Amino acid sequence: MRKLEQVALGLAGGSATAALAYAFLRVAERALLPEANPAILIGVERSAFAFRALSALYFGGFGAFGFAALALARPLVAARLLRAAVGLAAVALVAQAALAP
Amino acid sequence: MSEDAIHLLAREHALASWAAVAGLLATAWMMAARPHRRELVLAVSASTAVALAISGALGSMLEGAYRARLRQPLFTRAPKLGWLFERKEHLAFGAIALGFCGLSSLLVAALVASRARRAAKEREALEALAEELARAGRLGWVVSALLGVAAAVASALVAREARL
């Protein structure tokens, strides 16, 4: 696999990993760090959404390097794993949005 | 940020978001109806990704104002709409992430397909790889389109009740 192809596949894998990580992070946040009822919370300095999004992108970075490395060794396996990651991320996000918004 | 700036940003965010949704639906349709037009699909995907990025950036800029001015009153008046907006944020992140995943996958598919045309010897293996990557790209875009539509509809429903 050529360098540009490897980088692009890494970016694709990283994006899917970030989406998956976001869902898990939100579920973990709801389970371990429950926030007060938003109806009585006047204002919050820290943006939980921004923190969660940046954390998801950070974990996406791990996924990007992993997919790029796998693309070099086994490109077809990396492509199949990418499709599985996209499907898993879709299911996880929809389930998380429905059950743990 | 001034009131006028917030109102302007909110309008621009709504416009950019619906433009991104139109692009997502166009990309998903093109992949289903014209899968052999790889370069055209890639061009439409790239334009949609730009719209997604702009929409996401504007949304991020508005998040502070939403948290400070709108969140608590919204949850007090209409908790269901408040939770719908929380869901919208999650779906929007997913739509953007999987949209860029789809774009990157299609780019690799186009590069690999281009290489497959030149290298007759490795043709079969590379075409299988290109098809696999294109499948991943199509799935990413379809999911992104669905999430984007859901987020945009949720936003519109909330905007009927409260807006910045």
Side-chain angles (χ1 to χ4, degrees), chain B residues 63-86:
Chain B
E63 206 264 339
Y66 160 72
R67 207 166 10 93
R69 299 171 188 225
L70 210 57
R71 193 171 186 243
Q72 195 245 345
L74 184 61
F75 270 94
T76 307
R77 278 205 312 267
K80 280 188 179 166
L81 286 179
W83 286 116
L84 183 62
F85 197 82
E86 297 290 310

Side-chain angles (χ1 to χ4, degrees), chain A residues 1-2 4-5 8-9 11-12 15 18-19 22 26 30 35 38-39 41 44-47 49 52-53 56 75-76 79-80 82-83 86-87 90 93 96-98 101, chain B residues 60 63 67-68 71-72 75-76 83 86-87 89-91 93-95 97-98 100-101 104-105 107-108 111-112 115 118 125 128-129 132-133 135-136 139-140 143 147:
Chain A
M1 192 167 248
R2 301 277 157 85
L4 184 59
E5 294 163 5
L9 207 155
L11 281 173
S15 304
Y22 183 95
R26 181 55 181 160
R30 285 287 294 255
E35 67 167 350
L41 206 59
V44 181
E45 269 303 312
R46 190 179 73 93
S47 170
F49 172 75
R52 197 182 319 123
L76 199 54
R80 288 193 178 127
L82 177 63
R83 192 151 62 109
V86 170
L93 273 166
Q96 175 263 306
Chain B
S60 300
E63 206 264 339
R67 207 166 10 93
R71 193 171 186 243
Q72 195 245 345
F75 270 94
T76 307
W83 286 116
E86 297 290 310
R87 289 184 166 97
E89 288 185 332
H90 307 319
L91 296 176
F93 183 89
L98 293 177
F100 274 94
C101 175
S104 304
S105 300
L107 177 62
V108 185
L111 289 170
V112 169
R115 200 151 51 89
R118 287 195 302 266
L129 177 59
E132 201 59 47
L133 289 163
R135 273 195 209 132
L139 182 60
V143 169
L147 295 179

